Amino acid sequence: MADKVRAGEALYARCMGCHALAYDRTGPRHCGLIGRRAGSVAAFPYSDAMKASDIVWTAQTLDRFLKNPLAALPGTSMGYAGVADPAERAALIAFLKHADSRPECREINGKR
């Protein structure tokens, strides 16, 4: 599992053009992503499609969304083509699951 998390961390570099773990950028922060309702980070300007989606981020919903965001959620403002390779998506999701144990996420989640 540690190898998959490391691979996912390397893949996360693709996401960092718009996202960060601990703070919002063009896209919302990813600390606390797993189990969070889509479109629910306070004060982040989500698309209407994301806010109305009723998605809760799990490994399964992330896999579907990351494969092709525009097809998975028409109207999303995430203009990224997606991650076609299932192994890469699995590694990225493993990293995102593990992210809450990182210092920057523990700090903002109030778990020092």
Side-chain angles (χ1 to χ4, degrees):
M1 183 61 161
D3 289 341
K4 188 183 275 190
V5 171
R6 279 193 292 278
E9 183 174 14
L11 291 165
Y12 190 72
R14 297 179 191 172
C15 307
M16 292 177 68
C18 296
H19 293 275
L21 288 177
Y23 56 92
D24 299 335
R25 298 188 68 206
T26 303
R29 74 194 80 163
H30 284 149
C31 289
L33 179 66
I34 303 298
R36 184 167 73 208
R37 186 178 180 280
S40 67
V41 171
F44 188 83
Y46 290 100
S47 65
D48 290 339
M50 187 64 74
K51 289 187 284 191
S53 71
D54 290 327
I55 294 170
V56 174
W57 295 120
T58 65
Q60 294 78 23
T61 58
L62 276 169
D63 184 64
R64 192 173 323 118
F65 184 74
L66 291 172
K67 181 177 182 181
N68 186 337
L70 298 170
L73 187 61
T76 184
S77 57
M78 185 166 153
Y80 179 67
V83 181
D85 184 308
E88 287 186 353
R89 286 195 311 274
L92 186 55
I93 292 165
F95 170 71
L96 290 168
K97 283 181 173 181
H98 180 75
D100 281 343
S101 68
R102 295 172 62 99
E104 61 265 46
C105 288
R106 286 195 320 261
E107 185 173 316
I108 70 162
N109 292 335
K111 301 172 186 171
R112 293 182 185 247

